[in-house]
Coordinates of all heavy atoms in Angstrom, one line a residue:
M1 N -23.0 -12.1 18.2 CA -24.0 -12.0 17.2 C -25.0 -13.1 17.4 O -24.7 -14.3 17.5 CB -23.4 -12.1 15.8 CG -24.1 -11.3 14.8 SD -23.4 -11.5 13.2 CE -21.9 -10.6 13.3
P2 N -26.3 -12.8 17.5 CA -27.3 -13.8 17.7 C -27.6 -14.6 16.5 O -27.4 -14.2 15.4 CB -28.6 -13.0 18.1 CG -28.4 -11.7 17.4 CD -26.9 -11.4 17.4
T3 N -28.0 -15.8 16.8 CA -28.4 -16.7 15.7 C -29.9 -16.8 15.6 O -30.5 -17.0 16.6 CB -27.8 -18.2 15.9 OG1 -26.4 -18.1 16.1 CG2 -28.1 -19.1 14.8
Y4 N -30.4 -16.6 14.4 CA -31.9 -16.6 14.2 C -32.2 -17.9 13.5 O -31.5 -18.4 12.6 CB -32.3 -15.4 13.5 CG -32.1 -14.1 14.2 CD1 -31.1 -13.3 13.8 CD2 -32.9 -13.8 15.3 CE1 -30.8 -12.1 14.5 CE2 -32.7 -12.6 15.9 CZ -31.7 -11.8 15.6 OH -31.5 -10.6 16.2
E5 N -33.3 -18.5 13.9 CA -33.9 -19.7 13.3 C -35.0 -19.3 12.4 O -36.0 -18.6 12.9 CB -34.3 -20.7 14.3 CG -33.6 -22.0 14.2 CD -34.1 -22.9 15.3 OE1 -33.8 -22.8 16.4 OE2 -34.8 -23.9 14.9
Y6 N -35.0 -19.7 11.2 CA -36.1 -19.4 10.2 C -36.6 -20.7 9.7 O -36.0 -21.8 9.7 CB -35.5 -18.6 9.0 CG -35.2 -17.2 9.3 CD1 -33.9 -16.9 9.7 CD2 -36.1 -16.2 9.2 CE1 -33.5 -15.5 9.9 CE2 -35.8 -14.9 9.4 CZ -34.5 -14.5 9.8 OH -34.2 -13.2 10.0
E7 N -37.8 -20.6 9.3 CA -38.4 -21.8 8.6 C -39.3 -21.3 7.5 O -40.1 -20.3 7.7 CB -39.3 -22.6 9.6 CG -39.8 -23.9 9.0 CD -40.7 -24.6 10.0 OE1 -40.1 -25.2 11.0 OE2 -41.9 -24.6 9.9
C8 N -39.1 -21.9 6.4 CA -39.9 -21.5 5.2 C -41.3 -21.9 5.4 O -41.6 -23.0 5.7 CB -39.3 -22.1 3.9 SG -40.3 -21.6 2.5
Q9 N -42.2 -21.0 5.1 CA -43.7 -21.4 5.3 C -44.2 -22.1 4.1 O -45.3 -22.6 4.1 CB -44.5 -20.1 5.5 CG -44.1 -19.5 6.9 CD -45.1 -18.3 7.2 OE1 -45.8 -17.9 6.4 NE2 -45.0 -17.9 8.5
T10 N -43.4 -22.1 3.0 CA -43.9 -22.8 1.8 C -43.4 -24.2 1.7 O -44.1 -25.2 1.5 CB -43.5 -22.0 0.5 OG1 -44.1 -20.7 0.6 CG2 -43.9 -22.7 -0.7
C11 N -42.0 -24.3 1.8 CA -41.4 -25.7 1.7 C -41.0 -26.3 3.0 O -40.6 -27.4 3.1 CB -40.2 -25.6 0.7 SG -38.8 -24.8 1.3
G12 N -41.1 -25.5 4.0 CA -40.8 -26.0 5.4 C -39.3 -26.1 5.6 O -38.9 -26.8 6.6
H13 N -38.5 -25.5 4.8 CA -37.0 -25.6 4.9 C -36.6 -24.8 6.1 O -36.7 -23.6 6.2 CB -36.4 -25.1 3.6 CG -34.9 -25.0 3.8 ND1 -34.1 -26.1 3.9 CD2 -34.1 -23.9 3.7 CE1 -32.8 -25.6 4.0 NE2 -32.8 -24.3 3.9
P14 N -36.0 -25.5 7.1 CA -35.5 -24.8 8.3 C -34.1 -24.5 8.2 O -33.3 -25.3 7.7 CB -35.8 -25.8 9.4 CG -35.6 -27.2 8.8 CD -35.9 -27.0 7.3
F15 N -33.7 -23.4 8.7 CA -32.2 -23.1 8.7 C -32.0 -22.0 9.7 O -32.9 -21.3 10.2 CB -31.8 -22.6 7.3 CG -32.4 -21.3 6.9 CD1 -31.6 -20.1 7.0 CD2 -33.6 -21.2 6.4 CE1 -32.1 -18.9 6.6 CE2 -34.2 -20.0 6.0 CZ -33.4 -18.9 6.1
E16 N -30.7 -21.9 10.1 CA -30.3 -20.9 11.0 C -29.4 -19.9 10.4 O -28.6 -20.3 9.5 CB -29.6 -21.5 12.2 CG -30.4 -22.5 13.0 CD -29.6 -23.1 14.1 OE1 -28.4 -22.8 14.2 OE2 -30.1 -24.0 14.8
I17 N -29.4 -18.7 10.7 CA -28.5 -17.7 10.2 C -28.0 -16.8 11.3 O -28.8 -16.5 12.2 CB -29.1 -16.9 9.0 CG1 -28.1 -16.1 8.4 CG2 -30.3 -16.1 9.5 CD1 -28.5 -15.5 7.0
R18 N -26.8 -16.5 11.3 CA -26.2 -15.6 12.3 C -26.1 -14.2 11.7 O -25.5 -14.0 10.7 CB -24.8 -16.1 12.6 CG -24.3 -15.6 13.9 CD -23.0 -16.2 14.3 NE -23.2 -17.7 14.6 CZ -22.3 -18.4 15.2 NH1 -21.2 -17.8 15.7 NH2 -22.5 -19.6 15.4
Q19 N -26.8 -13.3 12.3 CA -26.8 -12.0 11.7 C -26.9 -11.0 12.9 O -27.3 -11.3 14.0 CB -27.9 -11.8 10.7 CG -29.3 -12.1 11.2 CD -30.4 -11.8 10.2 OE1 -31.5 -12.1 10.4 NE2 -30.0 -11.3 9.0
S20 N -26.5 -9.8 12.6 CA -26.5 -8.7 13.6 C -28.0 -8.4 13.9 O -28.9 -8.5 13.1 CB -25.8 -7.5 13.1 OG -26.0 -6.4 13.9
M21 N -28.2 -7.8 15.1 CA -29.5 -7.4 15.4 C -29.9 -6.2 14.6 O -31.1 -5.9 14.4 CB -29.5 -6.9 16.9 CG -29.6 -8.1 17.8 SD -30.2 -7.6 19.4 CE -29.4 -8.7 20.5
K22 N -28.9 -5.5 14.0 CA -29.2 -4.3 13.2 C -29.7 -4.8 11.8 O -30.4 -4.0 11.1 CB -28.0 -3.5 13.1 CG -27.7 -2.7 14.3 CD -26.5 -1.8 14.2 CE -25.2 -2.6 14.0 NZ -24.0 -1.8 14.0
D23 N -29.3 -6.0 11.4 CA -29.7 -6.4 10.1 C -31.2 -6.7 10.0 O -31.7 -7.2 11.0 CB -28.9 -7.7 9.7 CG -27.5 -7.5 9.4 OD1 -27.1 -6.3 9.3 OD2 -26.7 -8.4 9.4
P24 N -31.8 -6.4 8.9 CA -33.2 -6.8 8.8 C -33.3 -8.3 8.7 O -32.5 -8.9 8.1 CB -33.6 -6.1 7.5 CG -32.4 -5.9 6.7 CD -31.3 -5.7 7.7
H25 N -34.4 -8.8 9.3 CA -34.5 -10.3 9.2 C -34.9 -10.7 7.8 O -35.6 -10.0 7.1 CB -35.4 -10.8 10.3 CG -36.8 -10.3 10.3 ND1 -37.3 -9.3 11.0 CD2 -37.8 -10.7 9.5 CE1 -38.5 -9.1 10.7 NE2 -38.9 -9.9 9.8
L26 N -34.6 -11.9 7.5 CA -34.8 -12.4 6.2 C -36.3 -12.7 5.9 O -37.0 -13.0 6.9 CB -34.0 -13.7 6.0 CG -32.5 -13.6 6.2 CD1 -31.9 -15.0 5.9 CD2 -31.9 -12.6 5.3
T27 N -36.7 -12.6 4.7 CA -38.1 -12.8 4.4 C -38.2 -13.8 3.2 O -39.3 -14.3 3.0 CB -38.8 -11.5 3.9 OG1 -38.0 -10.9 2.9 CG2 -38.9 -10.5 5.1
D28 N -37.1 -14.0 2.5 CA -37.2 -14.9 1.4 C -36.5 -16.3 1.6 O -35.4 -16.3 2.2 CB -36.6 -14.3 0.1 CG -37.4 -13.0 -0.3 OD1 -38.6 -13.0 -0.1 OD2 -36.7 -12.1 -0.8
C29 N -37.1 -17.3 1.2 CA -36.5 -18.7 1.4 C -35.2 -18.8 0.5 O -35.2 -18.3 -0.6 CB -37.5 -19.7 0.9 SG -36.9 -21.4 1.0
P30 N -34.2 -19.4 1.1 CA -32.9 -19.5 0.4 C -32.9 -20.7 -0.6 O -32.0 -20.8 -1.3 CB -31.9 -19.8 1.6 CG -32.7 -20.4 2.6 CD -34.1 -19.9 2.5
Q31 N -33.9 -21.5 -0.5 CA -34.0 -22.6 -1.4 C -34.2 -22.1 -2.9 O -35.1 -21.2 -3.0 CB -35.2 -23.6 -1.1 CG -35.0 -24.3 0.2 CD -34.0 -25.4 0.1 OE1 -32.8 -25.2 0.4 NE2 -34.4 -26.6 -0.2
P32 N -33.4 -22.6 -3.8 CA -33.6 -22.1 -5.2 C -35.0 -22.4 -5.7 O -35.4 -23.5 -5.7 CB -32.5 -22.8 -6.0 CG -32.1 -24.0 -5.1 CD -32.4 -23.6 -3.7
G33 N -35.6 -21.3 -6.3 CA -36.9 -21.5 -6.9 C -38.0 -21.5 -5.9 O -39.2 -21.6 -6.3
C34 N -37.7 -21.3 -4.7 CA -38.8 -21.2 -3.7 C -39.0 -19.8 -3.3 O -38.1 -19.2 -2.7 CB -38.5 -22.1 -2.5 SG -39.8 -22.0 -1.3
P35 N -40.2 -19.2 -3.6 CA -40.4 -17.8 -3.2 C -41.1 -17.7 -1.8 O -41.6 -16.6 -1.5 CB -41.4 -17.4 -4.3 CG -42.2 -18.6 -4.6 CD -41.3 -19.8 -4.3
G36 N -41.1 -18.8 -1.1 CA -41.8 -18.8 0.1 C -41.4 -17.8 1.2 O -40.2 -17.5 1.3
P37 N -42.3 -17.3 1.9 CA -42.0 -16.4 3.0 C -41.4 -17.1 4.1 O -41.8 -18.3 4.4 CB -43.3 -15.7 3.3 CG -44.4 -16.7 2.9 CD -43.8 -17.5 1.8
L38 N -40.6 -16.5 4.9 CA -40.0 -17.1 6.0 C -40.7 -16.8 7.3 O -41.2 -15.7 7.5 CB -38.5 -16.7 6.1 CG -37.6 -17.2 5.0 CD1 -36.2 -16.6 5.1 CD2 -37.6 -18.7 4.9
K39 N -40.6 -17.7 8.2 CA -41.1 -17.4 9.6 C -39.9 -17.5 10.5 O -39.1 -18.5 10.5 CB -42.1 -18.5 9.9 CG -42.8 -18.3 11.2 CD -44.0 -19.3 11.4 CE -43.5 -20.7 11.5 NZ -44.5 -21.7 11.7
R40 N -39.7 -16.5 11.3 CA -38.6 -16.5 12.2 C -39.0 -17.2 13.5 O -40.0 -16.8 14.1 CB -38.1 -15.1 12.5 CG -36.8 -15.1 13.2 CD -36.2 -13.7 13.1 NE -36.8 -12.8 14.1 CZ -36.3 -11.7 14.4 NH1 -35.2 -11.2 13.9 NH2 -36.9 -10.9 15.3
K41 N -38.2 -18.2 13.9 CA -38.6 -18.9 15.1 C -37.6 -18.5 16.3 O -36.9 -19.3 16.8 CB -38.4 -20.4 14.9 CG -39.2 -20.9 13.7 CD -39.4 -22.4 13.7 CE -38.1 -23.1 13.7 NZ -38.3 -24.6 13.8
I42 N -37.7 -17.2 16.6 CA -36.7 -16.7 17.6 C -37.1 -17.3 19.0 O -36.2 -17.6 19.8 CB -36.8 -15.2 17.6 CG1 -35.7 -14.6 18.6 CG2 -38.1 -14.6 17.9 CD1 -34.3 -14.9 18.1
G43 N -38.4 -17.5 19.2 CA -38.8 -18.0 20.6 C -38.4 -19.4 20.8 O -37.9 -19.8 21.9
L44 N -38.5 -20.2 19.8 CA -38.2 -21.6 19.9 C -36.7 -21.8 20.0 O -36.2 -22.6 20.8 CB -38.7 -22.4 18.7 CG -40.2 -22.9 18.9 CD1 -40.6 -23.6 17.6 CD2 -40.3 -23.9 20.0
G45 N -35.9 -21.2 19.1 CA -34.5 -21.4 19.0 C -33.7 -20.8 20.1 O -32.6 -21.2 20.3
S46 N -34.2 -19.7 20.7 CA -33.4 -18.9 21.5 C -32.9 -19.7 22.8 O -31.8 -19.6 23.3 CB -34.1 -17.7 22.0 OG -35.2 -18.0 22.8
G47 N -33.8 -20.6 23.2 CA -33.4 -21.4 24.4 C -32.2 -22.3 24.2 O -31.2 -22.2 25.0
L48 N -32.2 -23.0 23.1 CA -31.1 -23.9 22.8 C -29.8 -23.0 22.5 O -28.7 -23.4 23.0 CB -31.4 -24.7 21.5 CG -31.0 -26.1 21.5 CD1 -32.1 -27.0 20.9 CD2 -29.7 -26.3 20.7
I49 N -30.0 -22.0 21.7 CA -28.8 -21.2 21.4 C -28.3 -20.4 22.6 O -27.1 -20.3 22.8 CB -29.2 -20.2 20.2 CG1 -29.5 -21.0 19.0 CG2 -28.1 -19.2 20.0 CD1 -30.4 -20.3 18.0
F50 N -29.2 -20.0 23.4 CA -28.8 -19.3 24.6 C -27.9 -20.2 25.5 O -27.0 -19.8 26.1 CB -30.0 -18.8 25.3 CG -29.8 -17.6 26.2 CD1 -29.9 -16.3 25.6 CD2 -29.5 -17.7 27.5 CE1 -29.6 -15.2 26.3 CE2 -29.3 -16.6 28.2 CZ -29.3 -15.3 27.7
K51 N -28.3 -21.5 25.6 CA -27.6 -22.4 26.4 C -26.2 -22.6 25.9 O -25.2 -22.6 26.6 CB -28.3 -23.8 26.3 CG -28.1 -24.7 27.5 CD -29.1 -25.7 27.5 CE -28.6 -27.0 28.1 NZ -29.5 -28.1 27.8
G52 N -26.1 -22.7 24.6 CA -24.8 -22.8 24.0 C -23.8 -21.7 24.2 O -22.7 -21.8 24.7
S53 N -24.3 -20.5 24.0 CA -23.5 -19.3 24.2 C -23.3 -19.1 25.7 O -22.3 -18.5 26.1 CB -24.1 -18.1 23.5 OG -25.3 -17.7 24.1
G54 N -24.3 -19.5 26.5 CA -24.1 -19.4 27.9 C -23.0 -20.2 28.4 O -22.2 -19.7 29.3
F55 N -22.8 -21.3 27.9 CA -21.7 -22.2 28.3 C -20.4 -21.5 28.0 O -19.5 -21.4 28.8 CB -21.7 -23.5 27.5 CG -22.4 -24.6 28.2 CD1 -23.5 -25.2 27.6 CD2 -22.1 -24.9 29.5 CE1 -24.2 -26.2 28.3 CE2 -22.7 -25.9 30.2 CZ -23.8 -26.6 29.6
Y56 N -20.3 -20.9 26.9 CA -19.1 -20.2 26.5 C -18.8 -19.0 27.4 O -17.7 -18.8 27.9 CB -19.2 -19.7 25.0 CG -18.1 -18.9 24.6 CD1 -16.8 -19.5 24.3 CD2 -18.2 -17.5 24.5 CE1 -15.8 -18.7 23.9 CE2 -17.1 -16.7 24.1 CZ -15.9 -17.3 23.8 OH -14.9 -16.6 23.4
I57 N -19.9 -18.3 27.7 CA -19.7 -17.1 28.6 C -19.3 -17.5 30.0 O -18.4 -17.0 30.6 CB -21.0 -16.3 28.6 CG1 -21.2 -15.6 27.2 CG2 -20.9 -15.2 29.7 CD1 -22.6 -15.1 27.0
T58 N -19.9 -18.6 30.5 CA -19.6 -19.1 31.8 C -18.2 -19.6 31.9 O -17.4 -19.3 32.8 CB -20.6 -20.2 32.2 OG1 -21.9 -19.8 32.0 CG2 -20.4 -20.6 33.6
D59 N -17.8 -20.3 30.8 CA -16.4 -20.8 30.8 C -15.4 -19.6 30.8 O -14.5 -19.6 31.6 CB -16.2 -21.5 29.4 CG -15.7 -23.0 29.7 OD1 -15.8 -23.4 30.9 OD2 -15.3 -23.6 28.8
Y60 N -15.7 -18.7 29.9 CA -14.8 -17.5 29.8 C -14.7 -16.8 31.1 O -13.7 -16.4 31.6 CB -15.3 -16.6 28.7 CG -14.5 -15.4 28.5 CD1 -13.3 -15.5 27.9 CD2 -15.0 -14.2 28.9 CE1 -12.5 -14.3 27.7 CE2 -14.3 -13.0 28.7 CZ -13.0 -13.1 28.1 OH -12.3 -12.0 27.9
R61 N -15.9 -16.6 31.7 CA -16.0 -15.8 32.9 C -15.3 -16.6 34.1 O -14.5 -16.0 34.9 CB -17.4 -15.6 33.3 CG -17.6 -14.5 34.3 CD -19.0 -14.0 34.3 NE -19.4 -13.6 35.6 CZ -20.6 -13.4 36.0 NH1 -21.6 -13.5 35.1 NH2 -20.9 -13.0 37.2
S62 N -15.5 -17.9 34.2 CA -14.9 -18.6 35.3 C -13.4 -18.6 35.1 O -12.6 -18.6 36.1 CB -15.4 -20.0 35.3 OG -14.8 -20.9 34.4
D63 N -12.9 -18.6 33.9 CA -11.5 -18.6 33.6 C -10.9 -17.3 34.1 O -9.8 -17.3 34.8 CB -11.3 -18.8 32.1 CG -10.0 -19.5 31.8 OD1 -9.7 -20.6 32.4 OD2 -9.2 -19.0 31.1
S64 N -11.6 -16.2 33.8 CA -11.0 -14.9 34.2 C -11.2 -14.8 35.8 O -10.3 -14.2 36.4 CB -11.8 -13.8 33.5 OG -13.1 -13.7 34.1
Y65 N -12.2 -15.4 36.3 CA -12.3 -15.4 37.7 C -11.2 -16.2 38.4 O -10.6 -15.8 39.4 CB -13.7 -16.1 38.1 CG -14.8 -15.2 38.3 CD1 -14.9 -14.0 37.5 CD2 -15.9 -15.5 39.1 CE1 -15.9 -13.2 37.7 CE2 -17.0 -14.7 39.2 CZ -17.0 -13.5 38.5 OH -18.0 -12.7 38.6
K66 N -10.9 -17.3 37.7 CA -9.8 -18.1 38.3 C -8.4 -17.4 38.2 O -7.7 -17.4 39.1 CB -9.7 -19.4 37.4 CG -10.0 -20.7 38.2 CD -9.7 -21.9 37.4 CE -10.7 -22.2 36.3 NZ -10.4 -23.4 35.5
A67 N -8.2 -16.7 37.1 CA -7.0 -15.9 36.9 C -6.9 -14.8 38.0 O -5.9 -14.6 38.6 CB -7.0 -15.3 35.5
A68 N -8.1 -14.2 38.2 CA -8.1 -13.1 39.2 C -7.8 -13.7 40.6 O -7.1 -13.1 41.4 CB -9.4 -12.4 39.1
A69 N -8.4 -14.8 40.9 CA -8.2 -15.4 42.2 C -6.8 -15.8 42.4 O -6.2 -15.7 43.5 CB -9.2 -16.6 42.3
K70 N -6.2 -16.4 41.3 CA -4.8 -16.8 41.3 C -3.9 -15.6 41.6 O -3.0 -15.7 42.4 CB -4.5 -17.5 40.0 CG -3.3 -18.4 40.1 CD -3.2 -19.2 38.8 CE -1.8 -19.8 38.6 NZ -1.7 -20.4 37.3
K71 N -4.2 -14.5 40.9 CA -3.4 -13.3 41.0 C -3.5 -12.8 42.5 O -2.5 -12.4 43.1 CB -3.9 -12.3 40.0 CG -2.8 -11.3 39.7 CD -3.3 -10.4 38.5 CE -3.8 -9.1 39.0 NZ -4.4 -8.2 38.0
D72 N -4.7 -12.9 43.0 CA -5.0 -12.4 44.3 C -4.2 -13.2 45.3 O -3.5 -12.7 46.2 CB -6.5 -12.4 44.6 CG -6.9 -11.5 45.7 OD1 -6.1 -10.5 45.9 OD2 -8.0 -11.6 46.2
A73 N -4.3 -14.5 45.2 CA -3.6 -15.4 46.1 C -2.1 -15.2 46.0 O -1.4 -15.2 47.1 CB -3.9 -16.9 45.8
T74 N -1.6 -15.0 44.8 CA -0.1 -14.8 44.7 C 0.3 -13.6 45.3 O 1.3 -13.5 46.1 CB 0.2 -14.8 43.2 OG1 -0.3 -15.9 42.5 CG2 1.7 -14.8 43.0
S75 N -0.4 -12.5 45.1 CA 0.0 -11.2 45.6 C -0.1 -11.2 47.2 O 0.7 -10.6 47.9 CB -0.8 -10.1 45.0 OG -2.1 -10.1 45.6
S76 N -1.2 -11.9 47.7 CA -1.3 -11.9 49.1 C -0.3 -12.7 49.8 O 0.1 -12.5 50.9 CB -2.8 -12.3 49.5 OG -2.9 -13.7 49.3
S77 N 0.1 -13.8 49.1 CA 1.1 -14.7 49.7 C 2.5 -14.1 49.6 O 3.4 -14.4 50.4 CB 1.1 -16.1 49.1 OG 1.7 -16.1 47.8
A78 N 2.7 -13.3 48.6 CA 4.0 -12.6 48.4 C 4.3 -11.6 49.4 O 5.4 -11.4 49.9 CB 4.1 -12.1 47.0
S79 N 3.2 -10.8 49.8 CA 3.4 -9.8 50.7 C 3.4 -10.4 52.2 O 2.5 -11.2 52.5 CB 2.3 -8.7 50.6 OG 1.1 -9.3 50.9
P80 N 4.3 -10.0 53.0 CA 4.4 -10.6 54.4 C 3.2 -10.1 55.2 O 2.7 -9.0 54.9 CB 5.7 -10.0 55.0 CG 6.0 -8.8 54.1 CD 5.4 -9.1 52.7
P81 N 2.7 -10.9 56.1 CA 1.5 -10.6 56.9 C 1.8 -9.5 57.9 O 0.9 -9.0 58.6 CB 1.1 -11.9 57.6 CG 2.4 -12.7 57.6 CD 3.2 -12.2 56.4
A82 N 3.1 -9.1 58.1 CA 3.4 -8.1 59.0 C 2.9 -6.7 58.6 O 3.4 -6.2 57.6 CB 4.9 -8.0 59.2
A83 N 1.9 -6.2 59.2 CA 1.3 -5.0 58.8 C 1.8 -3.8 59.6 O 2.0 -4.0 60.9 CB -0.2 -5.1 59.0
P84 N 2.2 -2.8 59.0 CA 2.8 -1.6 59.7 C 1.7 -0.8 60.4 O 2.0 0.1 61.1 CB 3.4 -0.8 58.6 CG 2.7 -1.2 57.4 CD 2.2 -2.6 57.5
A85 N 0.5 -1.2 60.2 CA -0.6 -0.4 60.8 C -1.0 -0.9 62.2 O -1.8 -0.3 62.8 CB -1.9 -0.5 59.9
S86 N -0.2 -1.9 62.6 CA -0.5 -2.4 64.0 C 0.0 -1.4 65.0 O 1.0 -0.8 64.9 CB 0.1 -3.8 64.2 OG 1.5 -3.7 64.0
P87 N -0.8 -1.3 66.1 CA -0.3 -0.3 67.1 C 0.9 -0.8 67.8 O 1.2 -2.0 68.0 CB -1.5 -0.3 68.1 CG -2.2 -1.6 67.9 CD -2.0 -1.9 66.4
P88 N 1.8 0.1 68.3 CA 3.0 -0.3 68.9 C 2.8 -0.9 70.3 O 1.9 -0.4 71.0 CB 3.8 1.1 69.1 CG 2.7 2.1 69.0 CD 1.7 1.6 68.1
P89 N 3.6 -1.9 70.6 CA 3.3 -2.5 71.9 C 3.7 -1.6 73.1 O 4.6 -0.8 72.9 CB 4.3 -3.8 71.8 CG 5.3 -3.4 70.8 CD 4.7 -2.5 69.9
P90 N 3.0 -1.7 74.2 CA 3.4 -0.8 75.3 C 4.7 -1.3 76.0 O 4.7 -2.0 77.0 CB 2.2 -1.0 76.2 CG 1.6 -2.3 75.9 CD 1.9 -2.6 74.4
S91 N 5.8 -0.9 75.4 CA 7.1 -1.3 75.9 C 7.4 -0.6 77.2 O 8.0 -1.1 78.1 CB 8.2 -1.1 74.9 OG 8.1 0.2 74.4
K92 N 7.1 0.7 77.3 CA 7.4 1.5 78.5 C 6.2 1.5 79.4 O 5.1 2.0 79.1 CB 7.7 3.0 78.1 CG 9.1 3.1 77.5 CD 9.4 4.6 77.2 CE 10.7 4.7 76.5 NZ 10.9 6.1 76.1
P93 N 6.4 1.1 80.6 CA 5.3 1.2 81.5 C 5.0 2.6 81.9 O 6.0 3.4 82.0 CB 5.8 0.4 82.8 CG 7.0 -0.3 82.3 CD 7.5 0.4 81.0
A94 N 3.8 3.0 82.0 CA 3.5 4.4 82.3 C 3.9 4.8 83.7 O 4.3 6.0 83.9 CB 2.0 4.6 82.1
G95 N 3.8 4.0 84.6 CA 4.1 4.4 86.0 C 5.5 4.1 86.4 O 5.8 3.6 87.5
S96 N 6.5 4.4 85.6 CA 7.9 4.1 86.0 C 8.6 5.3 86.7 O 8.5 6.4 86.4 CB 8.7 3.7 84.7 OG 10.0 3.5 85.0
Ligands
ZN1 ZN1 -39.0 -22.5 0.8

């Protein structure tokens, strides 16, 4: 869920709110008694927020990558390198 940054245009009260993209963005200041309209600072805040969530995603992804690599290494080391697909050695000389 994305975090949106708002700032009240009347009292200047800045705040962030996490809401779904489907939700309509806020228009009223949450400060009691302030009817000020809000300004959404999606452009300014997205960089910082993107960085934060990016770290999480990278972490999560590298972890799963590590697990996959580990699994791969385990399975490849468990199976013997002797492949049955190798061609049979020429044991019988053709001109005997
Ligand atoms: Zn306000």
